[in-house]
Amino acid sequence: MRSILLSGLLAGAACAALVSGTAQAQMSDNVIKIGMLSDRSGIYADINGEGSAVAARLAAEEFGNAINGTKIEIIVGDHQNKADIAANLARQWIDVEKVDVVADVPNSAAALAVQGITRDKKRIFLMSGPGSTDLTGKDCSPYGFLWTWDNHAVASSTARALVEQGRKSWFFVTADYAFGHSLESEAAKTVKQLGGTIKGGVRHPLATSDFSSFLLQAQASGAEVVAFANAGGDTINAVKQAAEFGIPQGGQTLAGLLLNVNDIHALGLDTAQGLMLANSFYWDMNDETRAWSKTFEERTGRKPSMNQAGVYSAVKHYLKAVQEAGTDDADTVAAKMRGMPITDMMMKNARIADNGRIFNDMYLAQIKTPGESKGAWDYFKILKTIPGEQAYIDPKDSGCPLVK
């Protein structure tokens, strides 16, 4: 009897060990490693940068920094707004450091380079910051997910609002790389579709400090709208210098096609008041966004941009998918991510399309006057909600070969 009982216990122990080993085998390298690849020192450091890493850590903390006993590890890197550096870092992370996920990556050229690597190496890519529609179009990936916004959503929403107000002639000041070209293209298409005209445009290098020659051309064009198809520090410098040149005082409307709350904070309401913009997140929308943003501000000293909120949403959804699937296998997790609605403090029941585009709501906002603002960071007046189905390109029209 004792022999039979001992045999049973040994068999049970062996079975438990086998199950435990199988569970452990579901998580590669006994760690879920997320690489935050961002601009940590350049013109996008304020709207992404360390704030994106903080947002990812906040998401991981909600899982106790582990899933089913497997540690969640977050590492950071600076792509310096250079596609080759981004590609080399992503490749090294995956091949040497066994990174499971690359996340963030503001700068469309850098993101397009990383998209190719993560596609080939079968790693999840969570984007919150690049805007090129090619990322969910001709260069889409079964492992690539574009969160937060894209050039079509922000540019067409802002352009539509201004043209419908009667501002129909446009001049573009555009960052001369993939992101800027795409942003201009999306806005120009909407202007033309609504009966407006494009009176010209000029392109500037990334991280330009002196916009004087570009602004003089915009002023001379006589266009009703001077639209800045750039972002971050470039937009801040351009808008400030346009005000110094007296462009808005002369009757021309300034439009920032991609603006974050951080940009408005840097500009100040005296300069930014009246600007219209489209965002997918604002810290002061409801009790839930205010509570999360308070925690974020305690860590960073600043309110979050929509890009940083998007990183939190993306990382949380990924980790939830890993938890549900019981594995960090990229194909399994990607399928699970697509099959679950995205619900968190930023998004409610958003969905992921076949091309990797997250269909979340966008919000049309106008910047308050100094008299309307109650204090620091109280900058946006939300004018209307734009449902994701209206804000984004229909996946079947995106050019993505993954769309059924």
Side-chain angles (χ1 to χ4, degrees):
M1 182 70 178
R2 183 180 178 185
S3 176
I4 293 172
L5 180 59
L6 182 59
S7 297
L9 290 171
L10 289 172
C15 182
L18 179 62
V19 170
S20 175
T22 302
Q24 287 295 321
Q26 299 299 312
M27 300 294 185
S28 59
D29 307 306
N30 294 320
V31 64
I32 301 164
K33 188 174 285 191
I34 302 171
M36 299 299 302
L37 184 52
S38 194
D39 173 8
R40 297 179 60 83
S41 55
I43 61 171
Y44 304 137
D46 193 27
I47 57 177
N48 286 78
E50 176 58 18
S52 289
V54 169
R57 293 180 194 121
L58 288 173
E61 286 170 15
E62 292 188 15
F63 294 82
N65 291 312
I67 293 176
N68 299 332
T70 301
K71 178 185 175 183
I72 301 167
E73 181 180 346
I74 295 172
I75 63 174
V76 299
D78 187 352
H79 63 45
Q80 302 174 45
N81 287 305
K82 295 178 180 177
D84 58 338
I85 292 177
N88 288 336
L89 271 172
R91 190 177 292 109
Q92 177 185 331
W93 278 357
I94 294 168
D95 291 345
V96 179
E97 301 192 42
K98 307 302 181 186
V99 160
D100 300 294
V101 180
V102 179
D104 204 18
V105 195
N107 185 303
S108 292
L112 286 164
V114 174
Q115 177 97 303
I117 291 166
T118 52
R119 183 196 299 115
D120 293 344
K121 294 184 178 292
K122 296 186 177 182
R123 291 293 189 275
I124 300 292
F125 185 23
L126 306 173
M127 296 168 272
S128 184
S132 175
T133 54
D134 285 347
L135 290 161
T136 51
K138 65 183 181 66
D139 293 308
C140 67
S141 163
Y143 308 102
F145 300 92
L146 186 54
W147 242 261
T148 315
W149 60 277
D150 65 23
N151 285 346
H152 176 81
V154 294
S156 65
S157 298
T158 305
R160 179 175 295 277
L162 288 170
V163 173
E164 287 177 349
Q165 289 180 359
R167 297 171 175 87
K168 294 191 173 183
S169 60
W170 287 56
F171 184 96
F172 289 93
V173 178
T174 301
D176 193 12
Y177 76 111
F179 159 76
H181 301 169
S182 174
L183 197 61
E184 176 185 333
S185 173
E186 295 297 335
K189 276 189 250 181
T190 300
V191 170
K192 292 174 184 176
Q193 286 170 359
L194 296 175
T197 58
I198 309 302
K199 299 197 74 172
V202 64
R203 291 178 172 177
H204 68 82
L206 187 67
T208 294
S209 58
D210 183 3
F211 281 85
S212 56
S213 64
F214 311 120
L215 292 172
L216 286 172
Q217 294 179 62
Q219 197 170 35
S221 73
E224 293 169 291
V225 177
V226 177
F228 299 111
N230 48 23
D234 280 339
T235 305
I236 291 168
N237 286 333
V239 172
K240 281 183 175 179
Q241 291 173 37
E244 292 167 1
F245 272 79
I247 290 177
Q249 297 89 325
Q252 291 174 292
T253 296
L254 304 181
L257 297 180
L258 176 61
L259 286 166
N260 270 273
V261 69
N262 316 61
D263 305 321
I264 307 306
H265 191 73
L267 285 166
L269 291 182
D270 285 333
T271 299
Q273 61 182 306
L275 283 170
M276 296 188 73
L277 66 153
N279 262 219
S280 60
F281 174 82
Y282 181 49
W283 70 270
D284 197 23
M285 294 189 72
N286 54 54
D287 289 343
E288 200 174 1
T289 58
R290 283 188 286 272
W292 186 85
S293 299
K294 181 176 183 291
T295 302
F296 180 92
E297 187 175 15
E298 289 169 353
R299 303 278 184 97
T300 65
R302 309 177 69 78
K303 295 297 186 188
S305 69
M306 65 172 171
N307 290 356
Q308 291 158 344
V311 166
Y312 163 82
S313 177
V315 172
K316 181 175 180 177
H317 190 68
Y318 165 78
L319 292 174
K320 185 177 178 182
V322 171
Q323 187 177 58
E324 291 282 330
T327 179
D328 59 1
D329 172 74
D331 288 297
T332 305
V333 173
K336 181 65 71 173
M337 288 175 67
R338 284 186 165 88
M340 300 189 308
I342 304 167
T343 297
D344 52 44
M345 69 86 198
M346 180 186 187
M347 301 181 186
K348 302 301 178 192
N349 293 315
R351 65 181 181 86
I352 302 176
D354 289 341
N355 63 345
R357 171 70 260 165
I358 283 67
F359 273 71
N360 55 286
D361 290 343
M362 296 291 295
Y363 305 96
L364 184 68
Q366 188 170 32
I367 303 305
K368 294 180 176 181
T369 66
E372 292 171 323
S373 174
K374 297 176 183 176
W377 302 101
D378 179 27
Y379 302 146
F380 288 11
K381 290 186 291 187
I382 304 298
L383 304 180
K384 70 175 182 178
T385 299
I386 306 168
E389 288 70 22
Q390 296 177 20
Y392 295 105
I393 297 170
D394 190 316
K396 72 179 190 313
D397 298 324
S398 66
C400 171
L402 300 173
V403 178
K404 299 173 183 177

